[in-house]
Amino acid sequence: MKVTNPATGTVIADVAADTRAAVRRKYATARAGQLAWARVPIRKRLATIAAFRERIVAMHETLARTLTHEVGKPIRQSRNELNGLLTRIDFFLAESLGSLREEKVFADATQKLEERITHEPLGVVANISAWNYPYFVGSNVFVPALVAGNAVLYKPSEYASLTGLHIAEMLHEAGVPKDVFVPVIGDGATGAALLRQPVDGVFFTGSYATGARIAAAAGRRMIKVQLELGGKDPIYVCEDVDVKAAVAGVADGAFYNTGQSCCSVERIYVHASIYDAFVAAFVDEVRGYKLGDPMDESTYIGAITRRPQLGVLKKQVADARKKGAKLLLGGAAVKDKGNWFQPTVFADVNHSMALMKDESFGPIIGIQRVNDDDTAVDLMNDTEYGLTAGVYTRDEKRARKILARVHAGSVYWNCCDRVSPRLPWSGVGHSGIGLTLSTYGIQTFTRPKAWHLRGA
Ligand code: NAD
């Protein structure tokens, strides 16, 4: 399988993709390795994750450069992702013992009865991952899954195979056995072959379309299925904000990672009384974003990782223009080697446009005028997705009232495009089922076993 740098269009590596037979063999390897791994004391399993953290620190710049070459992410943002990964690992190192400890939930001496819960590993799990934050979305699954005593068949996205191989190498060097963390390399067909193996759980990050296929494939098997899918995340800006500060925050939320984040801001609603001022300041802000060589320290907008996405963005632009939206900035692909799209801002958009309904996953945004909070809430909820949603206002009570009515897994007051290891990461509707992160996101890789113990 060829690995292409999306910023230049040049092939940078050739990796061996797994055949179906290889996938079957890898499954058998992981099945055999899991039992011994589950018997390793949890403190020792945690020690391997701590050693993995050390490997990341030692390899930091190499990993950042590989990521940038492979997905076109600006180099500073690749480094940020790795720094964020360290923080996540620290969370899992600190919280896993407590989250996975055997619990005594009832004891009655007269009945000689005790009730306990143990957290048993699921067994062999498939971790099918996305390319946009390969370290984040991968580690949210494989770190707690390994700590809990599972074997992991890890399929990185075909757009992030080199990063996936780095991860496997570092985990193995850190002491996770090769038959416990097993990389599976390939595209969607390889992912489908992996799912045909009798795994005990599927943890998927990717698009709704693929997620729906995976849910259907797993449906009759009675295994744990978690799907972290896309979003069409809205922000509502109220009239009482400091416009400049709100613009800076929301524009960054929309364009960071070249708009290719699951929780990128994808729709902006602005109160009518500050609409014109907000739109003008927003365009100014985005005009200042530098598009260019992702290896350049000053680049903020990188390449579009998947070439077919250029077609999606072009269609959204044409549709918005046809339906009367005002194009204020950008609006076209950049004619150069590699995959590039200009940072694009539309005003006067509405929900008849694909730009406000379908995930864009690129550096493009629509701003819509609203007259009151109720309309804003209705529009924010007018989506099949529900990953995140936010409101900018000085008034906490108003923010809480609005956010309580919004259907989303995560809600933000005066911030956006933010993930915390301490909080559960989950979606509503087409944004998925299940969760990662937080202590729930540690226990999710286990089956709680109920013990009824009566003394003789
Ligand atoms: P994708 O659905 O194209 O691919 C995801 C993974 O699934 C890849 O590894 C791919 O090879 C594999 N795959 C494809 N077809 C398959 C099949 N039939 N069976 C098994 N595996 C298959 O998604 P992508 O382009 O890698 O990622 C972008 C999407 O991911 C966006 O929609 C984004 O919003 C979403 N995402 C969500 C989160 C979240 O936490 N909710 C995080 C990151 C990305």
Side-chain angles (χ1 to χ4, degrees):
M1 199 169 64
K2 297 210 180 317
V3 178
T4 304
N5 180 335
T8 60
T10 51
V11 173
I12 53 171
D14 244 317
V15 292
D18 284 307
T19 59
R20 280 192 200 178
V23 173
R24 274 199 300 276
R25 276 198 302 277
K26 286 189 168 185
Y27 165 76
T29 300
R31 179 60 75 192
Q34 191 267 328
L35 286 177
W37 180 244
R39 283 196 295 269
V40 170
I42 183 166
R43 283 178 198 279
K44 280 202 174 162
R45 296 199 298 258
L46 281 167
T48 63
I49 298 301
F52 171 59
R53 187 191 191 286
E54 281 171 24
R55 295 302 305 141
I56 294 160
V57 172
M59 298 269 294
H60 197 279
E61 191 57 21
T62 306
L63 303 176
R65 282 165 176 266
T66 302
L67 182 56
T68 289
H69 288 315
E70 178 170 46
V71 304
K73 193 190 291 266
I75 185 70
R76 293 169 79 103
Q77 298 178 17
S78 291
R79 292 189 194 117
N80 289 348
E81 182 174 346
L82 286 158
N83 292 336
L85 169 66
L86 298 179
T87 315
R88 288 187 191 197
I89 293 176
D90 289 340
F91 171 81
F92 290 126
L93 289 175
E95 296 298 331
S96 294
L97 268 182
S99 301
L100 300 177
R101 184 171 290 142
E102 179 174 331
E103 299 166 60
K104 178 156 76 174
V105 291
F106 181 77
D108 185 316
T110 50
Q111 294 182 68
K112 292 188 183 169
L113 183 66
E114 232 177 68
E115 294 172 358
R116 288 176 171 266
I117 302 171
T118 56
H119 298 280
E120 310 289 328
L122 297 171
V124 177
V125 300
N127 173 191
I128 299 179
S129 212
W131 49 264
N132 62 332
Y133 281 101
Y135 286 104
F136 281 166
V137 297
S139 66
N140 291 352
V141 172
F142 65 71
V143 171
L146 289 170
V147 171
N150 298 284
V152 178
L153 288 157
Y154 168 64
K155 199 199 86 59
S157 163
E158 58 273 38
Y159 294 95
S161 302
L162 300 180
T163 292
L165 290 168
H166 271 317
I167 288 172
E169 194 184 338
M170 290 188 293
L171 280 167
H172 296 153
E173 284 168 357
V176 177
K178 287 191 171 162
D179 57 359
V180 168
F181 184 84
V182 186
V184 175
I185 301 299
D187 59 11
T190 311
L194 175 54
L195 285 186
R196 280 194 288 274
Q197 307 309 308
V199 293
D200 302 302
V202 181
F203 295 83
F204 171 77
T205 311
S207 61
Y208 165 74
T210 313
R213 244 174 264 138
I214 285 177
R220 298 178 66 83
R221 311 229 316 247
M222 307 304 150
I223 56 174
K224 182 151 194 171
V225 179
Q226 278 203 181
L227 308 168
E228 302 211 339
L229 310 177
K232 191 71 194 167
D233 297 0
I235 288 290
Y236 169 40
V237 184
C238 299
E239 72 289 350
D240 62 350
V241 297
D242 169 345
V243 170
K244 205 165 172 258
V247 159
V250 177
D252 186 48
F255 289 91
Y256 190 83
N257 206 37
T258 315
Q260 300 175 112
S261 307
C262 52
C263 53
S264 285
V265 174
E266 290 240 347
R267 300 179 280 151
I268 304 173
Y269 304 99
V270 180
H271 196 280
S273 56
I274 58 157
Y275 181 80
D276 292 337
F278 183 93
V279 168
F282 193 90
V283 170
D284 269 358
E285 179 79 12
V286 177
R287 200 174 269 128
Y289 290 158
K290 188 173 159 204
L291 174 147
D293 179 3
M295 285 306 292
D296 185 328
E297 299 284 334
S298 61
T299 292
Y300 180 80
I301 303 280
I304 302 297
T305 308
R306 293 175 62 254
R307 193 163 180 81
Q309 198 64 18
L310 291 176
V312 172
L313 298 173
K314 284 181 197 164
K315 268 196 193 149
Q316 290 197 353
V317 167
D319 174 68
R321 294 185 84 163
K322 196 175 80 193
K323 291 175 178 159
K326 204 187 284 172
L327 178 63
L328 299 176
L329 199 66
V334 179
K335 288 192 182 68
D336 202 348
K337 288 186 194 116
N339 319 327
W340 297 92
F341 205 86
Q342 298 167 338
T344 297
V345 180
F346 276 103
D348 299 353
V349 295
N350 62 53
H351 278 214
S352 72
M353 302 167 187
L355 174 63
M356 297 302 273
K357 299 293 279 185
D358 303 336
E359 191 176 44
S360 304
F361 227 59
I364 167 169
I365 192 80
I367 310 177
Q368 181 164 353
R369 183 193 307 259
V370 294
N371 289 320
D372 53 57
D373 295 0
D374 285 345
T375 312
V377 169
D378 287 348
L379 287 168
M380 288 163 99
N381 284 336
D382 180 26
T383 174
E384 285 168 321
Y385 290 106
L387 193 58
T388 81
V391 59
Y392 279 67
T393 169
R394 288 179 203 270
D395 181 346
E396 181 175 356
K397 257 196 184 160
R398 182 174 172 189
R400 282 178 173 272
K401 206 171 146 196
I402 291 166
L403 295 177
R405 294 167 61 197
V406 161
H407 306 305
S410 296
V411 292
Y412 303 121
W413 175 40
N414 291 337
C415 55
C416 56
D417 188 25
R418 181 176 191 279
V419 182
S420 163
R422 297 170 292 277
L423 294 172
W425 186 248
S426 69
V428 173
H430 285 192
S431 291
I433 50 175
L435 60 89
T436 51
L437 298 176
S438 78
T439 51
Y440 299 103
I442 298 172
Q443 291 184 344
T444 197
F445 297 98
T446 66
R447 203 165 17 82
K449 189 167 186 173
W451 296 72
H452 306 244
L453 304 169
R454 195 185 291 280

